[in-house]
mmCIF file of all heavy atoms in Angstrom:
data_model
loop_
_atom_site.group_PDB
_atom_site.id
_atom_site.type_symbol
_atom_site.label_atom_id
_atom_site.label_comp_id
_atom_site.label_asym_id
_atom_site.label_seq_id
_atom_site.Cartn_x
_atom_site.Cartn_y
_atom_site.Cartn_z
ATOM 1 N N HIS R 267 -1.279 -29.947 -9.858
ATOM 2 C CA HIS R 267 -1.082 -31.297 -9.333
ATOM 3 C C HIS R 267 -1.527 -31.375 -7.863
ATOM 4 O O HIS R 267 -2.201 -32.325 -7.462
ATOM 5 C CB HIS R 267 0.387 -31.706 -9.459
ATOM 6 C CG HIS R 267 0.729 -32.919 -8.666
ATOM 7 N ND1 HIS R 267 0.458 -34.194 -9.106
ATOM 8 C CD2 HIS R 267 1.276 -33.048 -7.422
ATOM 9 C CE1 HIS R 267 0.823 -35.062 -8.179
ATOM 10 N NE2 HIS R 267 1.326 -34.401 -7.157
ATOM 11 N N GLU R 280 -0.733 -32.770 7.547
ATOM 12 C CA GLU R 280 -1.192 -32.838 8.940
ATOM 13 C C GLU R 280 -0.356 -33.835 9.742
ATOM 14 O O GLU R 280 0.102 -33.526 10.856
ATOM 15 C CB GLU R 280 -2.667 -33.251 8.981
ATOM 16 C CG GLU R 280 -3.215 -33.364 10.398
ATOM 17 C CD GLU R 280 -4.550 -34.094 10.451
ATOM 18 O OE1 GLU R 280 -4.724 -35.077 9.694
ATOM 19 O OE2 GLU R 280 -5.418 -33.679 11.234
ATOM 20 N N GLU R 298 -15.850 -21.002 12.592
ATOM 21 C CA GLU R 298 -15.051 -22.037 13.270
ATOM 22 C C GLU R 298 -13.603 -21.577 13.437
ATOM 23 O O GLU R 298 -12.989 -21.801 14.473
ATOM 24 C CB GLU R 298 -15.079 -23.344 12.453
ATOM 25 C CG GLU R 298 -16.372 -24.115 12.620
ATOM 26 C CD GLU R 298 -16.320 -25.500 11.965
ATOM 27 O OE1 GLU R 298 -15.216 -26.025 11.694
ATOM 28 O OE2 GLU R 298 -17.404 -26.037 11.722
ATOM 29 N N THR R 342 0.698 -5.797 12.861
ATOM 30 C CA THR R 342 2.074 -5.287 12.973
ATOM 31 C C THR R 342 2.725 -4.930 11.645
ATOM 32 O O THR R 342 3.751 -4.271 11.625
ATOM 33 C CB THR R 342 2.979 -6.314 13.691
ATOM 34 O OG1 THR R 342 2.930 -7.553 12.970
ATOM 35 C CG2 THR R 342 2.518 -6.525 15.121
ATOM 36 N N GLY R 345 1.635 -1.113 6.936
ATOM 37 C CA GLY R 345 0.438 -0.712 6.187
ATOM 38 C C GLY R 345 -0.836 -1.144 6.894
ATOM 39 O O GLY R 345 -1.811 -0.399 6.961
ATOM 40 N N LYS R 368 0.942 10.147 2.121
ATOM 41 C CA LYS R 368 1.713 10.295 3.357
ATOM 42 C C LYS R 368 1.082 11.327 4.304
ATOM 43 O O LYS R 368 1.219 11.217 5.516
ATOM 44 C CB LYS R 368 3.173 10.632 3.051
ATOM 45 C CG LYS R 368 3.393 11.870 2.243
ATOM 46 C CD LYS R 368 4.860 12.001 1.860
ATOM 47 C CE LYS R 368 5.026 13.242 0.987
ATOM 48 N NZ LYS R 368 6.230 13.210 0.168
ATOM 49 N N GLU R 393 9.713 5.279 11.628
ATOM 50 C CA GLU R 393 10.439 5.156 12.895
ATOM 51 C C GLU R 393 9.467 5.243 14.080
ATOM 52 O O GLU R 393 9.581 4.476 15.049
ATOM 53 C CB GLU R 393 11.514 6.244 12.990
ATOM 54 C CG GLU R 393 12.372 6.198 14.243
ATOM 55 C CD GLU R 393 13.163 4.889 14.411
ATOM 56 O OE1 GLU R 393 13.530 4.282 13.382
ATOM 57 O OE2 GLU R 393 13.383 4.470 15.572
ATOM 58 N N ARG R 396 7.776 2.021 14.300
ATOM 59 C CA ARG R 396 8.707 1.011 14.826
ATOM 60 C C ARG R 396 8.737 1.058 16.355
ATOM 61 O O ARG R 396 8.634 0.024 17.021
ATOM 62 C CB ARG R 396 10.115 1.244 14.245
ATOM 63 C CG ARG R 396 11.172 0.283 14.777
ATOM 64 C CD ARG R 396 12.563 0.583 14.207
ATOM 65 N NE ARG R 396 13.598 -0.164 14.893
ATOM 66 C CZ ARG R 396 14.216 -1.245 14.381
ATOM 67 N NH1 ARG R 396 13.906 -1.672 13.193
ATOM 68 N NH2 ARG R 396 15.142 -1.876 15.079
ATOM 69 N N ARG R 400 7.284 -1.907 18.602
ATOM 70 C CA ARG R 400 8.262 -2.659 19.407
ATOM 71 C C ARG R 400 7.661 -2.993 20.769
ATOM 72 O O ARG R 400 7.741 -4.124 21.249
ATOM 73 C CB ARG R 400 9.523 -1.817 19.639
ATOM 74 C CG ARG R 400 10.567 -1.978 18.583
ATOM 75 C CD ARG R 400 11.749 -2.812 18.992
ATOM 76 N NE ARG R 400 12.253 -3.430 17.770
ATOM 77 C CZ ARG R 400 13.332 -4.188 17.693
ATOM 78 N NH1 ARG R 400 14.029 -4.446 18.774
ATOM 79 N NH2 ARG R 400 13.695 -4.724 16.563
ATOM 80 N N GLU R 429 9.235 -6.674 6.343
ATOM 81 C CA GLU R 429 9.456 -5.882 7.548
ATOM 82 C C GLU R 429 10.057 -6.708 8.674
ATOM 83 O O GLU R 429 10.648 -6.164 9.596
ATOM 84 C CB GLU R 429 8.132 -5.244 7.989
ATOM 85 C CG GLU R 429 7.562 -4.300 6.928
ATOM 86 C CD GLU R 429 6.272 -3.627 7.351
ATOM 87 O OE1 GLU R 429 5.847 -3.809 8.501
ATOM 88 O OE2 GLU R 429 5.684 -2.921 6.517
ATOM 89 N N ASP R 433 8.290 -12.652 11.996
ATOM 90 C CA ASP R 433 9.322 -13.337 12.782
ATOM 91 C C ASP R 433 9.483 -12.730 14.173
ATOM 92 O O ASP R 433 9.617 -13.441 15.154
ATOM 93 C CB ASP R 433 10.660 -13.288 12.033
ATOM 94 C CG ASP R 433 10.578 -14.042 10.728
ATOM 95 O OD1 ASP R 433 10.342 -15.258 10.770
ATOM 96 O OD2 ASP R 433 10.722 -13.416 9.667
ATOM 97 N N ARG R 454 6.556 -30.516 -2.173
ATOM 98 C CA ARG R 454 7.936 -30.754 -1.770
ATOM 99 C C ARG R 454 8.641 -29.478 -1.327
ATOM 100 O O ARG R 454 8.323 -28.382 -1.800
ATOM 101 C CB ARG R 454 8.725 -31.329 -2.960
ATOM 102 C CG ARG R 454 8.108 -32.536 -3.613
ATOM 103 C CD ARG R 454 8.673 -32.772 -5.011
ATOM 104 N NE ARG R 454 8.358 -31.710 -5.953
ATOM 105 C CZ ARG R 454 8.415 -31.835 -7.278
ATOM 106 N NH1 ARG R 454 8.802 -32.972 -7.805
ATOM 107 N NH2 ARG R 454 8.109 -30.825 -8.070
ATOM 108 N N ARG R 467 9.147 -11.117 -7.033
ATOM 109 C CA ARG R 467 9.352 -10.465 -8.337
ATOM 110 C C ARG R 467 8.009 -10.039 -8.920
ATOM 111 O O ARG R 467 7.872 -8.952 -9.475
ATOM 112 C CB ARG R 467 10.082 -11.409 -9.295
ATOM 113 C CG ARG R 467 11.562 -11.596 -8.960
ATOM 114 C CD ARG R 467 12.286 -12.425 -10.021
ATOM 115 N NE ARG R 467 13.722 -12.469 -9.767
ATOM 116 C CZ ARG R 467 14.344 -13.467 -9.135
ATOM 117 N NH1 ARG R 467 13.659 -14.509 -8.698
ATOM 118 N NH2 ARG R 467 15.649 -13.423 -8.932
ATOM 119 N N THR R 476 12.504 -9.916 2.075
ATOM 120 C CA THR R 476 13.628 -9.846 3.016
ATOM 121 C C THR R 476 13.712 -11.106 3.881
ATOM 122 O O THR R 476 14.784 -11.666 4.070
ATOM 123 C CB THR R 476 13.483 -8.605 3.923
ATOM 124 O OG1 THR R 476 13.394 -7.452 3.092
ATOM 125 C CG2 THR R 476 14.678 -8.472 4.844
ATOM 126 N N HIS R 480 10.961 -20.328 7.577
ATOM 127 C CA HIS R 480 10.425 -21.691 7.567
ATOM 128 C C HIS R 480 10.154 -22.146 8.994
ATOM 129 O O HIS R 480 11.092 -22.352 9.773
ATOM 130 C CB HIS R 480 11.438 -22.635 6.903
ATOM 131 C CG HIS R 480 11.765 -22.255 5.479
ATOM 132 N ND1 HIS R 480 12.315 -21.044 5.150
ATOM 133 C CD2 HIS R 480 11.604 -22.924 4.318
ATOM 134 C CE1 HIS R 480 12.486 -20.983 3.834
ATOM 135 N NE2 HIS R 480 12.055 -22.111 3.305
ATOM 136 N N THR R 482 8.853 -25.062 11.199
ATOM 137 C CA THR R 482 8.561 -26.497 11.110
ATOM 138 C C THR R 482 8.209 -27.090 12.477
ATOM 139 O O THR R 482 7.301 -27.900 12.576
ATOM 140 C CB THR R 482 9.764 -27.239 10.501
ATOM 141 O OG1 THR R 482 10.167 -26.534 9.314
ATOM 142 C CG2 THR R 482 9.398 -28.655 10.096
ATOM 143 N N LYS R 483 8.944 -26.672 13.526
ATOM 144 C CA LYS R 483 8.645 -27.177 14.870
ATOM 145 C C LYS R 483 8.512 -25.996 15.822
ATOM 146 O O LYS R 483 9.173 -24.975 15.630
ATOM 147 C CB LYS R 483 9.799 -28.074 15.367
ATOM 148 C CG LYS R 483 9.955 -29.356 14.584
ATOM 149 C CD LYS R 483 11.201 -30.108 15.028
ATOM 150 C CE LYS R 483 11.412 -31.326 14.123
ATOM 151 N NZ LYS R 483 12.747 -31.918 14.282
ATOM 152 N N THR R 500 -13.170 -25.687 -0.907
ATOM 153 C CA THR R 500 -13.454 -26.986 -1.535
ATOM 154 C C THR R 500 -14.639 -26.872 -2.500
ATOM 155 O O THR R 500 -14.710 -27.604 -3.481
ATOM 156 C CB THR R 500 -13.740 -28.086 -0.479
ATOM 157 O OG1 THR R 500 -14.776 -27.637 0.388
ATOM 158 C CG2 THR R 500 -12.507 -28.427 0.332
ATOM 159 N N SER J 18 -15.386 -31.315 11.123
ATOM 160 C CA SER J 18 -14.960 -30.376 10.087
ATOM 161 C C SER J 18 -13.793 -30.955 9.302
ATOM 162 O O SER J 18 -13.743 -30.857 8.083
ATOM 163 C CB SER J 18 -14.544 -29.038 10.701
ATOM 164 O OG SER J 18 -15.681 -28.334 11.108
ATOM 165 N N ARG J 19 -12.871 -31.571 10.022
ATOM 166 C CA ARG J 19 -11.733 -32.203 9.349
ATOM 167 C C ARG J 19 -12.236 -33.235 8.346
ATOM 168 O O ARG J 19 -11.826 -33.244 7.186
ATOM 169 C CB ARG J 19 -10.818 -32.855 10.389
ATOM 170 C CG ARG J 19 -9.644 -33.608 9.783
ATOM 171 C CD ARG J 19 -8.878 -34.404 10.844
ATOM 172 N NE ARG J 19 -7.730 -35.067 10.268
ATOM 173 C CZ ARG J 19 -7.775 -36.254 9.649
ATOM 174 N NH1 ARG J 19 -8.920 -36.890 9.533
ATOM 175 N NH2 ARG J 19 -6.672 -36.775 9.135
ATOM 176 N N ASN J 29 -14.346 -33.242 -4.832
ATOM 177 C CA ASN J 29 -14.340 -32.140 -5.800
ATOM 178 C C ASN J 29 -13.038 -31.969 -6.577
ATOM 179 O O ASN J 29 -12.957 -31.134 -7.473
ATOM 180 C CB ASN J 29 -14.650 -30.818 -5.087
ATOM 181 C CG ASN J 29 -16.063 -30.785 -4.556
ATOM 182 O OD1 ASN J 29 -16.889 -31.633 -4.921
ATOM 183 N ND2 ASN J 29 -16.370 -29.823 -3.709
ATOM 184 N N THR J 34 -3.187 -34.723 -12.215
ATOM 185 C CA THR J 34 -2.232 -34.218 -13.210
ATOM 186 C C THR J 34 -0.824 -34.492 -12.671
ATOM 187 O O THR J 34 -0.643 -34.621 -11.458
ATOM 188 C CB THR J 34 -2.416 -32.707 -13.451
ATOM 189 O OG1 THR J 34 -2.268 -32.025 -12.200
ATOM 190 C CG2 THR J 34 -3.787 -32.396 -14.027
ATOM 191 N N GLU J 121 21.319 -14.787 -6.895
ATOM 192 C CA GLU J 121 20.271 -14.112 -7.656
ATOM 193 C C GLU J 121 19.461 -13.115 -6.822
ATOM 194 O O GLU J 121 18.819 -12.230 -7.379
ATOM 195 C CB GLU J 121 19.300 -15.131 -8.277
ATOM 196 C CG GLU J 121 18.471 -15.876 -7.261
ATOM 197 C CD GLU J 121 17.234 -16.539 -7.872
ATOM 198 O OE1 GLU J 121 16.725 -16.023 -8.878
ATOM 199 O OE2 GLU J 121 16.793 -17.567 -7.331
ATOM 200 N N ARG J 135 15.614 -17.676 18.497
ATOM 201 C CA ARG J 135 14.879 -17.485 17.243
ATOM 202 C C ARG J 135 14.580 -16.016 16.925
ATOM 203 O O ARG J 135 14.489 -15.621 15.774
ATOM 204 C CB ARG J 135 13.556 -18.250 17.287
ATOM 205 C CG ARG J 135 13.704 -19.749 17.109
ATOM 206 C CD ARG J 135 12.328 -20.378 16.968
ATOM 207 N NE ARG J 135 12.426 -21.835 16.823
ATOM 208 C CZ ARG J 135 11.424 -22.603 16.411
ATOM 209 N NH1 ARG J 135 10.255 -22.078 16.110
ATOM 210 N NH2 ARG J 135 11.580 -23.918 16.301
ATOM 211 N N VAL J 140 15.151 -9.068 16.374
ATOM 212 C CA VAL J 140 15.027 -8.144 17.503
ATOM 213 C C VAL J 140 16.273 -7.255 17.609
ATOM 214 O O VAL J 140 16.213 -6.134 18.115
ATOM 215 C CB VAL J 140 14.764 -8.914 18.827
ATOM 216 C CG1 VAL J 140 16.040 -9.496 19.410
ATOM 217 C CG2 VAL J 140 14.065 -8.016 19.841
ATOM 218 N N TYR J 161 17.813 -24.659 -2.062
ATOM 219 C CA TYR J 161 16.952 -25.682 -1.450
ATOM 220 C C TYR J 161 17.538 -27.082 -1.652
ATOM 221 O O TYR J 161 17.409 -27.940 -0.787
ATOM 222 C CB TYR J 161 15.529 -25.606 -2.000
ATOM 223 C CG TYR J 161 14.697 -24.539 -1.326
ATOM 224 C CD1 TYR J 161 14.312 -23.387 -2.001
ATOM 225 C CD2 TYR J 161 14.310 -24.688 0.004
ATOM 226 C CE1 TYR J 161 13.563 -22.407 -1.372
ATOM 227 C CE2 TYR J 161 13.560 -23.712 0.642
ATOM 228 C CZ TYR J 161 13.186 -22.579 -0.050
ATOM 229 O OH TYR J 161 12.445 -21.609 0.575
ATOM 230 N N GLY J 169 13.935 -26.975 12.892
ATOM 231 C CA GLY J 169 12.697 -26.509 13.526
ATOM 232 C C GLY J 169 12.287 -25.157 12.978
ATOM 233 O O GLY J 169 11.106 -24.836 12.840
ATOM 234 N N GLY J 171 14.113 -21.794 10.382
ATOM 235 C CA GLY J 171 15.241 -21.250 9.643
ATOM 236 C C GLY J 171 14.708 -20.233 8.658
ATOM 237 O O GLY J 171 13.535 -20.292 8.281
ATOM 238 N N ALA J 175 17.371 -11.656 3.394
ATOM 239 C CA ALA J 175 17.869 -10.905 2.239
ATOM 240 C C ALA J 175 17.847 -9.416 2.551
ATOM 241 O O ALA J 175 16.855 -8.737 2.385
ATOM 242 C CB ALA J 175 17.012 -11.207 1.007
ATOM 243 N N SER J 178 15.650 -5.223 7.254
ATOM 244 C CA SER J 178 14.192 -5.072 7.321
ATOM 245 C C SER J 178 13.792 -3.793 6.587
ATOM 246 O O SER J 178 14.449 -2.768 6.710
ATOM 247 C CB SER J 178 13.805 -4.980 8.799
ATOM 248 O OG SER J 178 12.545 -4.389 8.963
ATOM 249 N N THR J 180 10.368 -1.448 4.423
ATOM 250 C CA THR J 180 8.948 -1.274 4.118
ATOM 251 C C THR J 180 8.790 -0.188 3.075
ATOM 252 O O THR J 180 9.659 0.671 2.931
ATOM 253 C CB THR J 180 8.141 -0.901 5.376
ATOM 254 O OG1 THR J 180 6.748 -0.823 5.034
ATOM 255 C CG2 THR J 180 8.563 0.447 5.940
ATOM 256 N N ASP J 182 5.368 0.934 2.795
ATOM 257 C CA ASP J 182 3.925 1.038 3.007
ATOM 258 C C ASP J 182 3.422 2.472 3.066
ATOM 259 O O ASP J 182 2.224 2.706 3.031
ATOM 260 C CB ASP J 182 3.519 0.281 4.274
ATOM 261 C CG ASP J 182 3.255 -1.190 3.969
ATOM 262 O OD1 ASP J 182 3.138 -1.529 2.776
ATOM 263 O OD2 ASP J 182 3.166 -1.990 4.919
ATOM 264 N N GLU J 184 3.230 5.524 0.960
ATOM 265 C CA GLU J 184 3.352 6.078 -0.403
ATOM 266 C C GLU J 184 4.448 5.426 -1.227
ATOM 267 O O GLU J 184 5.110 6.085 -2.025
ATOM 268 C CB GLU J 184 3.598 7.588 -0.353
ATOM 269 C CG GLU J 184 2.327 8.372 -0.476
ATOM 270 C CD GLU J 184 2.573 9.827 -0.873
ATOM 271 O OE1 GLU J 184 3.591 10.116 -1.506
ATOM 272 O OE2 GLU J 184 1.702 10.643 -0.553
ATOM 273 N N HIS J 192 10.757 -3.220 11.241
ATOM 274 C CA HIS J 192 10.648 -3.786 12.593
ATOM 275 C C HIS J 192 11.862 -4.633 12.956
ATOM 276 O O HIS J 192 12.201 -4.762 14.108
ATOM 277 C CB HIS J 192 9.390 -4.640 12.708
ATOM 278 C CG HIS J 192 8.161 -3.915 12.324
ATOM 279 N ND1 HIS J 192 7.755 -2.790 12.991
ATOM 280 C CD2 HIS J 192 7.267 -4.111 11.331
ATOM 281 C CE1 HIS J 192 6.651 -2.332 12.427
ATOM 282 N NE2 HIS J 192 6.339 -3.112 11.414
ATOM 283 N N GLY J 193 12.495 -5.200 11.938
ATOM 284 C CA GLY J 193 13.662 -6.056 12.183
ATOM 285 C C GLY J 193 14.932 -5.228 12.160
ATOM 286 O O GLY J 193 14.929 -4.028 12.452
ATOM 287 N N ARG J 195 17.993 -2.939 11.399
ATOM 288 C CA ARG J 195 18.068 -1.690 10.629
ATOM 289 C C ARG J 195 19.131 -1.754 9.540
ATOM 290 O O ARG J 195 19.122 -0.951 8.619
ATOM 291 C CB ARG J 195 18.428 -0.528 11.557
ATOM 292 C CG ARG J 195 17.404 -0.206 12.607
ATOM 293 C CD ARG J 195 17.972 0.877 13.508
ATOM 294 N NE ARG J 195 17.127 1.134 14.656
ATOM 295 C CZ ARG J 195 16.128 2.009 14.676
ATOM 296 N NH1 ARG J 195 15.829 2.688 13.588
ATOM 297 N NH2 ARG J 195 15.425 2.203 15.768
#
Side-chain angles (χ1 to χ4, degrees):
Chain R
H267 166 80
E280 179 194 38
E298 283 188 19
T342 57
K368 58 187 178 201
E393 182 60 31
R396 177 182 169 104
R400 271 255 151 176
E429 299 181 5
D433 296 298
R454 307 162 295 199
R467 287 186 174 97
T476 303
H480 300 60
T482 311
K483 293 174 186 167
T500 54
Chain J
S18 286
R19 177 188 183 276
N29 293 347
T34 57
E121 67 162 331
R135 285 188 181 194
V140 80
Y161 278 110
S178 160
T180 183
D182 273 346
E184 265 198 26
H192 306 299
R195 295 175 187 271

